[in-house]
Amino acid sequence: MSAAVLAADNLARRFGGLAAVDGVSLAVAMGEVHAVIGPNGAGKSTLVNLLSGDLAPSGGCIVLDGRDVSRLGPARRSHLGLGRSYQKTNVFLPFTVFENCRLAAQSRLATSMRFLRPASSFAQVNEAAGRALEATGLEPRRHAVVATLSHGEQRHVEIAMALATRPRVLLLDEPLAGMGAEESAGIVALLRRLRPDHAIVLVEHDMDAVFALADTLTVMANGRVIASGPPATVREHPEVRRAYLGDESHA
Amino acid sequence: MTRLQWAAVAAGLALLAAMPWFADKFAVQFASKVLIFALFASSLNLLVGQAGLVSLGHAGFFGVAGYVLALASPEYDAAPLWSTLAMAVGVAALLALAIGALVVRTRGVYFLMATLAFGQMLFHLFHDGDFAGGSDGLQIFARPAGTLFGVALFDLEQYRHFHWVVLAACALVLVFLARLRASPFGRVLDGIRVNEHRMRALGFATVRYKLVAFVLAGALAGLAGYLSACQFGVVNPESLGWHQSGAVLLMVILGGMGSLTGPALGAAVWWGMELFFQGFTRHWQLPMGAVIVAVALFLPDGLAGLWRRVRPPRAVAAEASVREGAA
Ligand SMILES: Nc1ncnc2c1ncn2[C@@H]1O[C@H](COP(=O)(O)OP(=O)(O)O)[C@@H](O)[C@H]1O
Ligand SMILES: [Mg+2]
């Protein structure tokens, strides 16, 4: 297996007395989808927030391209190649779909301390935003104000914004939540296309999508990893069957 | 802005420029005052309307710049215009940098409190200190003198000339702010106002952008404060106290935060109302307050929002799609 682009070692985060993430280690390599599953409250979103820098860890460390980024804020990590989407849609509701992606793409300018030239005249930024719209099928909605979109469409904007920053590592927190079957299939196909030149951490409840995409599967419960490895192996893990997959077999 | 709005602004500027030929001295001086406060309110709007930072200490930069002119002026003689202007704006900007470095890390009501506290500190510094006339303030006996490209184009002692200079400054700043709104920097401020958390996740060092906005707003408030000190020939602690900060914030809200011309409109209506109600009653602040409450209740987008209300929604939607930008 190729070297990990992003690796977490013994990561921990406490909220008061609650150990939301408790000694989690995981690694993801370029060209790999590392899926994370687990029941609600398992600590999956907290894990993503730790990886992205939205939350500071209480313990452990995060290494990106061989560099310890545990103490860096989200903006710095974004510029080191990390991009993320949120479980709870976190976009710019009063802006158009295009402006959401354009602003995301604008973050790749050397600086946004540009005071006179119109933001709309930066060709590279517009192209990156346009590509993100195309990839997510939002092109026909580009002029729509995001607040007026359906929930499923807003979920697409969430992903498009992450793509517009052109990350190498993608952290996706339940990207399919709230999408219909057809929309989900579209995103699964998109993630397949993205896989070759991205390292993807995918938190997802949709088991069909997880087993269709995952190269590695990590199962969390109560802040801890209870199993991790190739999906076929993890699926047969007795503790996993009991704690999470239950009796509804996906075999 | 639409073409119609630009036309309205251009017509307004032309009217203001022609004023000295048809209006009396009192009216021209009144218009100059309104323009200075339009500039002041527009500078605050950069923070309130664009970055979503509601400051209650903005008069500090306005007042300090006036004090710089007063302190730099010879006792009965005119100060040199350009050097004292640069000094006044520079001091306002440096002060904004020092205060901003601390306050832009806070948000919402904490930002409001922190800016209010700094405003109060400045007030007491000038009020209780004896280096600048204490509670009486200082007088400026002669307006600054200067030439433009080596030519004595204007004499600020003449109210007409002063009016044109103020109008030019105001127009330049509005053009600059219009460009700024559409620039990458302006879009970052819009993003911070709407969702600062996501801006950080997208890679924007939001604190730095807020600090630059704070310094820029402080510098422009300094320009307004300098012009105000020129016009009235006095500076006192009240000019940088929280009453003044509150008044300019009300002008912004009255006219419409977030709109380019709203704050200027707010300044005009503010001073117009004062003039109007003072003609009837000594308690003019009462009816003025009632109008402000009515605007707050019924026009959440301020007077500039009236424009959007009377236009058919289809036109607004079309405009939004053309701009593809921030709402
Ligand atoms: N900001 C927070 N403050 C306090 N507790 C939190 C916070 N965020 C998450 N938690 C708690 O941490 C645990 C893990 O939450 P989360 O990471 O959102 O789980 P998941 O995404 O797997 O459903 C839950 O018990 C949740 O209530
Ligand atoms: Mg979650």
Side-chain angles (χ1 to χ4, degrees), chain B residues 108-270:
Chain B
V109 76
Y110 298 99
F111 181 83
L112 199 124
M113 280 166 50
T115 49
L116 179 61
F118 273 110
Q120 285 297 81
M121 280 164 62
L122 281 174
F123 175 85
H124 286 292
L125 183 68
F126 282 89
H127 187 272
D128 303 341
D130 54 6
F131 60 96
S135 59
D136 293 334
L138 295 169
Q139 281 191 287
I140 300 159
F141 291 98
R143 288 183 182 175
T147 59
L148 195 60
F149 308 117
V151 188
L153 280 178
F154 50 78
D155 171 8
L156 295 184
E157 290 290 356
Q158 298 189 29
Y159 74 91
R160 293 187 173 91
H161 289 196
F162 181 75
H163 178 73
W164 282 316
V165 168
V166 168
L167 178 62
C170 197
L172 274 175
V173 168
L174 276 183
V175 168
F176 170 68
L177 290 175
R179 298 287 301 252
L180 191 84
R181 288 163 73 88
S183 73
F185 180 77
R187 291 299 169 81
V188 169
L189 295 188
D190 283 329
I192 289 172
R193 182 186 73 246
V194 172
N195 188 347
E196 182 173 1
H197 174 215
R198 187 60 186 251
M199 287 300 278
R200 261 187 267 120
L202 290 176
F204 292 102
T206 56
V207 165
R208 218 178 300 159
Y209 289 96
K210 288 195 285 183
L211 181 57
V212 171
F214 198 82
V215 171
L216 215 50
L220 292 176
L223 173 61
Y226 181 92
L227 293 172
S228 171
C230 284
Q231 174 161 22
F232 299 107
V234 299
V235 288
N236 53 42
E238 278 71 40
S239 67
L240 42 72
W242 74 278
H243 266 100
Q244 179 86 310
S245 291
V248 70
L249 182 59
L250 283 176
M251 290 178 209
V252 171
I253 295 168
L254 194 60
M257 37 189 168
S259 130
L260 176 65
T261 47
L265 190 64
V269 170
W270 175 277

Side-chain angles (χ1 to χ4, degrees), chain A residues 15 18 20 38-47 87 173-174:
Chain A
F15 292 113
L18 175 78
N40 276 328
K44 305 180 300 294
S45 292
T46 304
L47 174 64
Q87 178 181 355
D173 194 357
E174 302 201 22

Side-chain angles (χ1 to χ4, degrees), chain A residues 44-56:
Chain A
K44 305 180 300 294
S45 292
T46 304
L47 174 64
V48 171
N49 286 335
L50 291 172
L51 293 175
S52 69
D54 285 45
L55 281 176

Side-chain angles (χ1 to χ4, degrees), chain A:
Chain A
M1 205 173 90
S2 49
V5 179
L6 179 71
D9 183 36
N10 205 17
L11 209 52
R13 170 71 198 205
R14 308 190 63 83
F15 292 113
L18 175 78
V21 167
D22 190 7
V24 170
S25 300
L26 98 186
V28 59
M30 200 49 106
E32 189 194 19
V33 173
H34 190 138
V36 179
I37 63 171
N40 276 328
K44 305 180 300 294
S45 292
T46 304
L47 174 64
V48 171
N49 286 335
L50 291 172
L51 293 175
S52 69
D54 285 45
L55 281 176
S58 328
C61 80
I62 300 157
V63 175
L64 178 63
D65 290 320
R67 173 178 177 177
D68 185 348
V69 297
S70 315
R71 310 253 149 257
L72 301 184
R76 291 287 304 283
R77 290 192 210 181
S78 162
H79 281 283
L80 293 174
L82 223 69
R84 69 161 297 179
S85 74
Y86 289 83
Q87 178 181 355
K88 191 168 164 291
T89 306
N90 184 9
V91 295
F92 302 94
L93 290 172
F95 298 175
T96 64
V97 171
F98 181 77
E99 179 62 13
N100 269 266
C101 292
R102 201 205 57 74
L103 198 51
Q106 184 185 307
S107 69
R108 301 304 106 167
L109 288 177
T111 174
S112 281
M113 296 285 180
R114 310 274 306 245
F115 304 93
L116 295 174
R117 192 172 145 190
S120 58
S121 72
F122 291 80
Q124 276 177 312
V125 173
N126 293 338
E127 279 160 27
R131 275 198 301 276
L133 291 184
E134 250 162 57
T136 48
L138 282 167
E139 185 54 39
R141 305 295 276 149
R142 98 194 312 254
H143 299 306
V145 169
V146 172
T148 67
L149 299 184
S150 72
H151 182 63
E153 286 172 323
Q154 291 187 1
R155 299 297 301 152
H156 282 81
V157 175
E158 181 67 47
I159 297 166
M161 284 171 74
L163 293 182
T165 63
R166 286 186 284 146
R168 289 173 299 117
V169 181
L170 261 175
L171 310 172
L172 303 172
D173 194 357
E174 302 201 22
L176 305 181
M179 283 190 188
E182 207 175 313
E183 288 176 311
S184 291
I187 295 299
V188 169
L190 168 64
L191 295 182
R192 270 212 191 89
R193 289 199 299 278
L194 292 172
R195 170 160 42 191
D197 41 7
H198 290 83
I200 301 175
V201 175
L202 174 68
V203 173
E204 190 45 66
H205 271 307
D206 182 330
M207 283 305 129
D208 294 333
V210 166
F211 285 108
L213 288 165
D215 300 296
T216 309
L217 179 59
T218 291
V219 185
M220 285 179 72
N222 298 322
R224 295 170 165 275
V225 173
I226 57 173
S228 187
T233 319
V234 171
R235 181 150 51 173
E236 300 312 322
H237 197 288
E239 204 177 336
V240 172
R241 297 193 75 100
R242 204 169 343 107
Y244 186 59
L245 296 171
D247 290 324
E248 36 155 344
S249 171
H250 283 267

